[in-house]
Amino acid sequence: MSNLVTVPKNGNTIKKNFNYPTRSSWFDDFLLGELPTVFSSNFNTGISLPKVNIKEIADAFVVEMAVPGLKKSDFKIDLDNFTLSISAEIEENKEETNENYTRREFGYSSFKRTFTLPETVDDSKINASYNEGVLNIHLPKREEAKQKPARTIKIS
């Protein structure tokens, strides 16, 4: 469908809608319309790249990753030369048998997020926890990098 606007000599705008579909718009509607939703609604069960919040507090950095539906054992967290990698792989097989049919579905999903840590992180004290769909990674700062409380300096 195309929208054409004509401007007459008096300056008023008149909008005309022409509803004559072209062959290419029919083709686009077919390919971009219902066909992909039919396939994606049944077969797109993979994990998208999870959202991550990273915050800095006085004595650490905290990474929060929203990954509901997984188990603690699904995750792999690696640290290699100040590069933190968080990944998960899930393989799923389902079979439903009825007297008239058998339905089998299988899927494989994975993701990997990688972060470069600042050198102020004490890598020997990093810990992680997973609770109610949120993976938390606590990255403590080295003692010399921790923020010191504000203080007043007396003039002598």
Side-chain angles (χ1 to χ4, degrees):
M1 175 174 23
S2 63
N3 294 324
L4 299 177
V5 176
T6 57
V7 181
K9 291 183 182 179
N10 65 4
N12 292 333
T13 303
I14 301 170
K15 188 173 183 180
K16 295 182 180 179
N17 291 324
F18 294 97
N19 293 321
Y20 303 115
T22 64
R23 186 181 318 163
S24 65
S25 69
W26 281 340
F27 188 69
D28 290 344
D29 288 344
F30 176 72
L31 288 180
L32 301 175
E34 293 184 25
L35 187 62
T37 59
V38 169
F39 286 114
S40 63
S41 65
N42 291 329
F43 299 109
N44 187 13
T45 58
I47 299 175
S48 61
L49 202 56
K51 304 290 184 194
V52 175
N53 291 329
I54 301 174
K55 59 185 173 183
E56 181 177 9
I57 55 178
D59 61 346
F61 296 94
V62 179
V63 177
E64 300 171 328
M65 180 179 287
V67 279
L70 299 182
K71 299 181 298 254
K72 186 169 58 170
S73 60
D74 293 332
F75 295 102
K76 182 178 179 188
I77 303 173
D78 293 317
L79 181 65
D80 181 21
N81 202 20
F82 289 101
T83 301
L84 180 72
S85 299
I86 307 165
S87 60
E89 294 182 4
I90 299 96
E91 192 171 335
E92 185 176 33
N93 294 309
K94 292 182 182 178
E95 184 172 329
E96 179 182 331
T97 303
N98 197 330
E99 63 184 66
N100 296 327
Y101 66 89
T102 298
R103 177 181 175 182
R104 290 186 186 111
E105 291 186 26
F106 60 93
Y108 177 83
S109 300
S110 67
F111 73 84
K112 183 174 185 177
R113 298 286 311 254
T114 304
F115 306 94
T116 301
L117 302 181
E119 292 183 14
T120 57
V121 170
D122 186 352
D123 60 348
S124 66
K125 296 181 181 177
I126 295 173
N127 61 49
S129 63
Y130 182 67
N131 189 21
E132 294 185 12
V134 178
L135 177 66
N136 285 296
I137 303 174
H138 190 261
L139 306 161
K141 293 179 182 176
R142 293 182 183 182
E143 204 56 48
E144 63 272 10
K146 292 180 182 177
Q147 291 180 351
K148 309 277 190 275
R151 63 184 178 106
T152 302
I153 300 173
K154 295 184 181 184
I155 301 172
S156 56

